[in-house]
């Protein structure tokens, strides 16, 4: 009967070793999953950054190569009866420090 007691201890010890190895493998696999998620997020951010950088470069080149609209030198001549909203009234500015002599 003395041999039965150590046998029971050995089976209990082997169960504890099996449980620890399962827990350890779960921790390792969860760490691997977290690492894979972090690497995936970094890859997605890198791709988005490269796409935005390329888009920005293309738009800047497009803006630089576009011909800029030039302003007409003279406004179009209109008849005396035509009323256009595009014409703005002319304002003349006279500085205060210029003194006009009275005659």
């Amino acid at each position: 009967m003395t041999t039965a007691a150590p046998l029971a201890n050995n089976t209990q010890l082997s169960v504890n070793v099996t449980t620890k190895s399962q827990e350890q493998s779960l921790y390792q696999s969860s760490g691997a999953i977290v690492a894979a998620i972090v690497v995936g997020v970094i890859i997605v951010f890198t791709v988005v950054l490269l796409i935005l950088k390329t888009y920005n470069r293309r738009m800047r080149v497009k803006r630089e190569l576009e011909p800029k609209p030039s302003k007409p030198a003279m406004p179009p001549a209109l008849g005396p009866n035509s009323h256009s909203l595009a014409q703005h009234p002319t304002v003349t500015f006279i500085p205060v420090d210029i003194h006009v002599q009275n005659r």
Side-chain angles (χ1 to χ4, degrees):
M1 286 208 183
T2 57
T3 57
L7 183 62
N9 287 337
N10 286 343
T11 54
Q12 185 180 11
L13 224 156
S14 65
V15 169
N16 286 341
V17 170
T18 306
T19 306
K20 285 185 180 181
S21 65
Q22 286 176 352
E23 287 178 3
Q24 189 177 15
S25 65
L26 284 175
Y27 282 128
Q28 288 174 350
S29 64
S30 65
I33 291 171
V34 168
I37 290 173
V38 168
V39 169
V41 167
I42 290 173
I43 290 173
V44 167
F45 280 139
T46 304
V47 168
V48 168
L49 179 70
L50 290 174
I51 289 172
L52 288 175
K53 192 173 181 182
T54 305
Y55 175 76
N56 188 21
R57 184 178 298 142
R58 286 183 184 174
M59 292 306 292
R60 189 181 71 225
V61 168
K62 184 179 176 184
R63 275 183 307 210
E64 289 176 357
L65 294 178
E66 278 182 352
K68 296 182 179 173
S70 60
K71 295 181 180 178
M74 297 286 285
L78 298 173
N81 293 333
S82 66
H83 298 285
S84 175
L85 295 176
Q87 290 181 338
H88 299 291
T90 305
V91 177
T92 305
F93 176 72
I94 301 174
V96 179
D97 62 338
I98 298 177
H99 300 290
V100 179
Q101 295 178 350
N102 291 335
R103 293 184 188 180

